[in-house]
Amino acid sequence: MSFREWLQKAEKDLILAKNSLPLEFYDYATFHAQQCAEKALKAFLVSKGMPIKRTHDIGELILLCAEVDSEFLKLFDDDVDVLTAYAVEARYPTLHEPDKEEAENAIKLAELALSFVRSRLTSP
């Protein structure tokens, strides 16, 4: 897959996350927010010719991106890596069900990650 295809997948996940809010499917909103950030970060790696590691760990992906562009470390300042918790947990019945506020925050973080990746793809 090209990096553009990875970005398209990320954008679709963001749409699904946002569309889950009015349905009160907060678990799905958080899952798709995580998927958006994951795929956006993988898009950056693909754009730089780096191999894609099979991981859902946003922190790990940020570190891999930072090997090429240290600006990615700023994503830790915004707590984007907390999205990792939604990679698996949100897909199964758990003791913790996210609420609307948590889902909205996850979407905000996903938007931030996607926007950041786009900005770094257009930077020299």
Side-chain angles (χ1 to χ4, degrees):
M1 285 179 78
S2 73
F3 80 90
R4 286 182 183 85
E5 290 170 307
W6 280 99
L7 278 179
Q8 287 173 347
K9 290 285 190 180
E11 291 162 356
K12 288 178 182 179
D13 275 306
L14 184 58
I15 290 167
L16 288 170
K18 289 179 176 182
N19 287 341
S20 296
L21 283 179
L23 299 170
E24 298 182 9
F25 293 169
Y26 304 132
D27 52 345
Y28 287 93
T30 58
F31 169 71
H32 285 291
Q34 185 282 336
Q35 287 290 289
C36 171
E38 178 182 329
K39 290 170 187 164
L41 292 166
K42 288 180 177 180
F44 178 80
L45 294 172
V46 168
S47 77
K48 301 303 178 189
M50 296 182 67
I52 299 302
K53 185 170 183 182
R54 291 183 70 104
T55 184
H56 300 300
D57 188 323
I58 299 300
E60 185 176 359
L61 291 169
I62 290 170
L63 290 173
L64 288 170
C65 291
E67 290 178 12
V68 176
D69 181 348
S70 63
E71 291 293 307
F72 274 85
L73 294 175
K74 291 179 181 178
L75 293 175
F76 285 119
D77 295 338
D78 294 311
D79 295 326
V80 171
D81 54 311
V82 303
L83 290 171
T84 299
Y86 306 121
V88 176
E89 181 181 306
R91 294 187 290 168
Y92 301 101
T94 64
L95 297 175
H96 174 73
E97 284 291 321
D99 60 16
K100 181 179 181 183
E101 183 179 329
E102 191 173 348
E104 288 172 340
N105 185 59
I107 290 168
K108 180 187 76 130
L109 293 174
E111 289 173 324
L112 192 151
L114 182 58
S115 174
F116 186 85
V117 166
R118 284 184 184 133
S119 76
R120 302 317 292 173
L121 287 172
T122 58
S123 296

